């Protein structure tokens, strides 16, 4: 942590693109920088300088390990100045350099280049910094202008520029297209009949209902899926409805685009009522963030080579309907009291069950909430009919049952022992196979060695036969090596799982003492360290401990499932402890209904 009393640290950064001892070597750069620091800031500063070296890295960007470490350290250590031998040691990219100078200036860290006498602690140095910023801005504007000019040229062709094709189309290669007198390969969109029909259905249902939710419900009921075989979401539906690629280039489309001031690269005569529309520069794409739709004034639009499928009047009408819906929309309040959000799954369809807050309160004055299957809600019960679960009751009983388990050392020990036994059994099998395979692999390698030695005395005819044997044994050896690596990984995983059980036991044992004084968010975190999944089948709540969602390919094949119980015949939870196959082995992701479980939550 930086404090006012902490002496500031001087830093040297050096970079060289290639590993050589000639010219401005890393050592020479560091020594010259150290001499500069000693002359201007004292011997002590030079003696205690921090040095960061990147050798073998280009100055084209800032993706260099020691540079990144230096910038990370600058957040924790009070740097006085970063000293380099020459400006291009930091970066040859003026934009990156200006951003760096701005960042350092904001944090009062000076930047010094001893070759160019660039020192931001001096008036002249700051002036040079401003000049660098001006050039950076000019560079950015020039790049943006070049990109836009390129898009203008591309838009004249109406071609598909690549990427994920929209639903209804596939990318098809054209023989060539002439751009600026050059012949280049290009692509266009080719219709996929079944997907085209789906797009038409989406537009038709939305125009009839005026609702994204009802369109979503219709697609769920009719088992319609995306290009990748996933269920549609309202976000995906809206993406299709707003994509101008489907709009037929007719008179209505032309008027709409002109009224919205798009950069239109097509004559009115090209809107022939047959082809579709291509919109370039339509989305703003940023690494790590969702794509955003740019304002229509920034679009570059042309008539495409592909056939359109939605009349201009219908497409424009849909946009107006979406605008009306947007103006009426509001953010639905989320429940902030449910503990099992993200843990509770529907036993019928496998989707998450989400908390639904009511306006009623229970005897303790708590707001009553239920858990409802997301697919059931979206399909209005037509695709999934899972019974809702009383959230207050389920949350409380899961807390209570884990509290009991943490207090009963005998049951907890037995639970862990049962699971460890399964893992140990698997590990013993792996160890035995591993020992046998290592012996076989050694024999194979020895046979190869003997055959290679025999080649020196073999005749031409027999040498050919020997080489064939060597090739066969090499293939066998490679197969054995792959299996050895796999078995060693399985054995290591088993060892790691054994270590994890000690952690899980400690967490469960400390649960009771921690949960009562914990905040709601802390309770959620505590639960997630113990419970990996809860599945509701309409009557029983199945709580999976330790294993990740019942889908582990490596051991254990079976995993502990804790069935919560409260019936009058046996109010002890010990008899409800079961070991079952993982969920993937159950058809349709349904759970077996044997054993007592948590009742009365519906």
């Amino acid at each position: 942590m930086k404090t006012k009393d902490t002496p500031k640290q001087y830093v040297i950064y050096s970079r060289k693109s290639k590993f050589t001892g000639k010219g401005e070597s890393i050592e020479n750069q560091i020594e010259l920088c150290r001499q500069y620091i000693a002359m201007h800031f004292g011997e002590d500063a030079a003696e205690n300088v921090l040095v960061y070296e990147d050798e073998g890295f280009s100055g084209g960007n800032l993706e260099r390990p020691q540079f990144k470490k230096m910038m990370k350290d600058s957040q924790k250590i009070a740097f006085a100045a970063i000293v380099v031998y020459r400006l291009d040691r930091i970066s040859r990219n003026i934009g990156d350099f200006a951003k760096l100078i701005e960042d350092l200036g904001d944090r009062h860290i000076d930047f010094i280049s001893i070759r160019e006498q660039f020192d931001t602690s001096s008036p002249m140095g700051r002036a040079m910094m401003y000049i660098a910023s001006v050039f950076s801005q000019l560079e950015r504007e020039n790049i943006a202008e070049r990109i836009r000019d390129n898009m203008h040229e591309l838009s004249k062709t109406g071609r598909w520029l690549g990427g994920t094709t929209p639903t209804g189309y596939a990318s098809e290669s054209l023989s060539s297209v002439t751009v600026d007198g050059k012949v280049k390969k290009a692509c266009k969109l080719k219709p996929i009949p079944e997907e085209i029909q789906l797009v038409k259905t989406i537009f038709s249902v939305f125009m009839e209902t005026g609702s994204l939710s009802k369109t979503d419900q219709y697609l769920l009921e009719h088992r319609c899926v995306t290009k990748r075989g996933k269920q549609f979401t309202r976000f995906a539906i809206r993406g299709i409805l707003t994509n101008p690629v489907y709009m037929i280039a007719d008179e209505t489309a032309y008027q709409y685009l002109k009224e919205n001031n798009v950069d239109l690269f097509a004559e009115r005569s090209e809107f022939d009522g047959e082809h579709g529309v291509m919109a370039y520069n339509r989305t703003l794409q940023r690494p790590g963030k969702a794509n955003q739709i740019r304002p229509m004034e920034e679009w570059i639009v042309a008539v495409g080579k592909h056939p359109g499928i939605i009349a201009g009047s219908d497409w424009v009408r849909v946009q107006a309907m979406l605008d009306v819906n947007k103006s009426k929309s509001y953010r639905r309040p989320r429940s902030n009291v449910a503990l099992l959000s993200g843990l509770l799954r529907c036993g019928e369809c496998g989707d998450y069950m989400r908390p639904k807050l009511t306006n009623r309160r229970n005897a303790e004055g708590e707001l009553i909430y239920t858990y409802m299957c997301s697919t059931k809600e979206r399909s209005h019960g037509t695709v999934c009919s899972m019974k809702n679960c009383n959230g207050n009751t389920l949350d409380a009983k899961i807390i209570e049952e884990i509290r009991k388990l943490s207090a009963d050392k005998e049951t907890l020990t037995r639970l862990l022992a049962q699971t460890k036994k399964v893992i140990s059994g698997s590990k013993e099998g792996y160890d035995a196979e591993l020992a046998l395979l290592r012996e076989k692999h050694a024999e194979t390698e020895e046979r190869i060695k003997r055959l290679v030695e025999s080649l020196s005395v073999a005749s031409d005819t027999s040498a050919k036969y020997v080489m064939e044997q060597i090739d066969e044994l090499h293939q066998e050896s490679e197969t054995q090596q792959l299996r050895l690596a796999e078995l060693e990984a399985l054995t290591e995983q088993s060892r790691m799982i054994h270590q994890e059980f000690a952690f899980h036991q400690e967490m469960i044992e400390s649960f009771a003492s921690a949960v009562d004084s914990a905040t709601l968010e802390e309770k959620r975190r505590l639960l997630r360290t113990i419970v990996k999944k809860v599945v509701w089948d309409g009557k029983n709540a199945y709580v999976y401990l330790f294993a990740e969602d019942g889908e582990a390919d490596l051991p254990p094949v079976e995993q502990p499932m804790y069935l919560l119980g409260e019936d009058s015949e046996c109010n002890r939870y010990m008899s409800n402890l079961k070991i079952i196959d993982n969920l993937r082995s159950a058809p349709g992701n349904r759970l077996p209904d044997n054993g007592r479980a948590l009742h009365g939550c519906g």
Side-chain angles (χ1 to χ4, degrees):
M1 182 177 178
K2 299 177 182 179
T3 66
K4 292 181 179 179
D5 298 329
T6 305
K8 287 197 172 185
Q9 178 75 55
Y10 286 87
V11 174
I12 295 174
Y13 177 76
S14 59
R15 178 190 65 79
K16 193 169 179 64
S17 298
K18 295 181 180 178
F19 295 95
T20 67
K22 301 176 182 179
E24 299 161 359
S25 69
I26 291 285
E27 292 77 13
N28 288 343
Q29 291 179 40
I30 293 172
E31 183 56 32
L32 288 168
C33 290
R34 198 184 295 273
Q35 290 175 13
Y36 181 92
I37 293 171
M39 184 183 300
H40 291 81
F41 307 108
E43 292 290 344
D44 288 343
E47 186 68 27
N48 298 312
V49 75
L50 286 178
V51 179
Y52 298 85
E53 308 171 24
D54 276 316
E55 189 159 8
F57 289 91
S58 165
N61 59 59
L62 301 179
E63 292 301 314
R64 303 189 293 273
Q66 284 297 301
F67 177 83
K68 292 165 80 171
K69 183 177 187 302
M70 177 179 72
M71 296 310 295
K72 186 175 180 180
D73 289 349
S74 72
Q75 302 287 344
K76 300 177 288 185
I77 303 171
F79 284 4
I82 295 174
V83 183
V84 298
Y85 171 68
R86 208 169 63 189
L87 284 178
D88 64 1
R89 298 304 88 193
I90 285 288
S91 177
R92 292 196 186 96
N93 184 301
I94 191 71
D96 288 343
F97 177 69
K99 288 178 185 176
L100 172 66
I101 295 299
E102 183 178 357
D103 176 39
L104 296 177
D106 289 342
R107 293 188 286 130
H108 306 291
I109 300 173
D110 294 331
F111 178 82
I112 300 169
S113 172
I114 62 176
R115 179 73 175 271
E116 292 89 356
Q117 291 296 299
F118 186 110
D119 183 349
T120 58
S121 64
S122 69
M124 182 57 71
R126 286 192 292 274
M128 289 186 66
M129 179 187 71
Y130 297 140
I131 292 170
S133 298
V134 170
F135 276 105
S136 173
Q137 179 64 31
L138 180 61
E139 181 190 40
R140 286 195 294 269
E141 291 176 359
N142 285 338
I143 290 172
E145 192 65 31
R146 287 198 298 271
I147 291 171
R148 193 164 188 86
D149 288 345
N150 191 35
M151 285 187 175
H152 283 158
E153 292 304 315
L154 291 171
S155 68
K156 294 175 183 177
T157 69
R159 59 189 274 197
W160 173 249
L161 301 184
T164 303
T165 53
T167 301
Y169 298 100
S171 180
E172 178 183 37
S173 256
L174 294 173
S175 56
S176 64
V177 62
T178 302
V179 178
D180 290 341
K182 297 180 182 179
V183 177
K184 295 185 179 180
K185 189 176 179 181
C187 297
K188 75 169 186 176
L189 293 176
K190 177 185 177 181
I192 303 174
E194 58 271 24
E195 290 187 13
I196 290 290
Q197 187 54 51
L198 175 59
V199 172
K200 288 181 178 179
T201 298
I202 290 172
F203 273 88
S204 175
V205 173
F206 180 77
M207 285 191 290
E208 182 181 339
T209 63
S211 167
L212 287 172
S213 296
K214 290 180 180 178
T215 307
D216 183 30
Q217 178 186 348
Y218 177 92
L219 296 176
L220 278 170
E221 289 175 356
H222 291 79
R223 304 297 193 273
C224 299
V225 294
T226 66
K227 287 172 79 81
R228 297 182 179 179
K230 304 291 185 181
Q231 284 185 353
F232 276 98
T233 63
R234 277 172 280 191
F235 179 80
I237 295 168
R238 186 181 182 88
I240 288 175
L241 293 173
T242 56
N243 196 335
V245 75
Y246 303 112
M247 179 168 56
I248 296 173
D250 55 20
E251 180 64 26
T252 305
Y254 177 81
Q255 293 295 339
Y256 178 80
L257 293 170
K258 291 292 286 184
E259 289 169 4
N260 283 278
N261 300 315
V262 302
D263 198 347
L264 187 57
F265 264 64
E267 299 297 330
R268 190 169 192 158
S269 59
E270 295 179 59
F271 284 74
D272 55 7
E274 179 184 346
H275 290 91
V277 169
M278 291 295 296
Y280 305 91
N281 200 43
R282 180 171 165 263
T283 59
L284 176 62
Q285 300 177 359
R286 294 175 295 175
K289 296 185 179 181
N291 292 350
Q292 292 181 350
I293 303 298
R294 297 178 186 270
M296 288 187 70
E297 294 84 358
E298 298 181 22
W299 296 7
I300 300 171
V301 178
V303 175
K305 302 289 185 185
H306 64 286
I309 58 176
I310 304 297
S313 57
D314 288 340
W315 194 87
V316 171
R317 177 187 167 201
V318 165
Q319 307 318 301
M321 294 169 70
L322 288 169
D323 287 342
V324 170
N325 286 358
K326 188 176 181 180
S327 66
K328 292 179 179 179
S329 66
Y330 67 97
R331 186 175 295 276
R332 181 179 300 174
R334 293 173 178 255
S335 167
N336 62 348
V337 293
L339 292 179
L340 299 181
S341 296
L343 289 178
L344 186 61
R345 295 286 192 104
C346 170
E348 180 175 339
C349 70
D351 203 353
Y352 284 106
M353 297 188 71
R354 310 291 186 188
K356 312 297 293 183
L357 205 60
T358 70
N359 292 322
R360 297 176 289 115
R361 294 184 180 272
N362 59 19
E364 287 74 32
E366 301 169 336
L367 281 171
I368 296 173
Y369 57 95
T370 61
Y371 288 107
M372 177 187 286
C373 171
S374 295
T375 297
K376 174 185 175 180
E377 180 184 19
R378 290 168 55 207
S379 67
H380 293 257
T382 57
V383 174
C384 179
S385 56
M386 175 56 64
K387 185 179 179 182
N388 292 357
C389 176
N390 185 304
N392 304 74
T393 304
L394 181 59
D395 286 1
K397 290 196 173 182
I398 283 181
I399 292 288
E400 185 58 31
E401 293 298 326
I402 295 177
R403 192 200 304 273
K404 290 179 184 176
L405 183 62
S406 69
D408 192 327
K409 301 293 190 295
E410 181 182 349
T411 300
L412 178 57
T413 302
R414 188 171 76 245
L415 170 64
L416 294 169
Q418 285 176 312
T419 308
K420 283 184 179 179
K421 186 177 180 181
V422 174
I423 299 172
S424 298
S426 301
K427 185 177 183 300
E428 289 170 6
Y430 296 142
D431 288 341
E433 185 182 351
L434 195 57
L436 182 61
L437 191 57
R438 280 173 178 159
E439 186 177 334
K440 285 184 177 179
H441 184 252
E443 291 175 1
T444 303
E445 290 296 307
E446 182 61 31
R447 290 173 63 190
I448 293 173
K449 181 179 178 182
R450 288 198 300 267
L451 286 170
V452 170
E453 290 172 351
S454 70
L455 281 173
S456 62
V457 294
S459 64
D460 291 344
T461 303
S462 59
K464 182 179 179 181
Y465 173 71
V466 172
M467 287 300 300
E468 289 176 353
Q469 284 186 301
I470 291 174
D471 286 342
E472 289 177 5
L473 287 172
H474 265 305
Q475 292 178 7
E476 184 179 339
S477 175
E478 288 176 358
T479 302
Q480 290 170 343
Q481 285 177 321
L482 288 172
R483 181 57 180 164
L484 279 170
E486 183 182 353
L487 287 170
E488 286 168 354
L490 291 171
T491 303
E492 177 63 16
Q493 176 122 358
S494 297
R495 186 184 66 79
M496 293 298 294
I497 290 174
H498 273 287
Q499 293 177 354
E500 288 175 7
F501 275 115
F503 169 74
H504 287 305
Q505 181 167 2
E506 182 181 343
M507 288 302 300
I508 291 177
E509 288 177 348
S510 62
F511 183 84
S513 59
V515 72
D516 288 335
S517 59
T519 65
L520 184 71
E521 191 54 42
E522 288 169 343
K523 287 179 182 178
R524 288 194 183 112
R525 286 201 294 269
L526 281 170
L527 273 178
R528 278 159 179 72
T529 61
I530 300 168
V531 177
K532 298 303 178 185
K533 188 182 206 176
V534 181
V535 180
W536 170 250
D537 69 358
K539 181 180 179 182
N540 304 323
Y542 298 80
V543 182
Y544 289 79
L545 305 176
F546 315 136
E548 282 288 348
D549 293 347
E551 294 180 359
D553 290 323
L554 300 177
V557 176
E558 297 178 331
Q559 51 212 299
M561 181 194 72
Y562 192 57
L563 302 179
L564 303 179
E566 62 163 359
D567 80 39
S568 56
E569 296 178 6
C570 181
N571 58 10
R572 289 177 58 79
Y573 56 89
M574 290 169 61
S575 62
N576 290 330
L577 194 59
K578 303 287 182 184
I579 302 289
I580 66 164
D581 291 336
N582 62 32
L583 283 180
R584 192 172 45 200
S585 65
N589 208 34
R590 292 175 183 271
L591 293 167
D593 57 3
N594 58 322
R596 285 186 296 277
L598 180 61
H599 301 292
C601 289

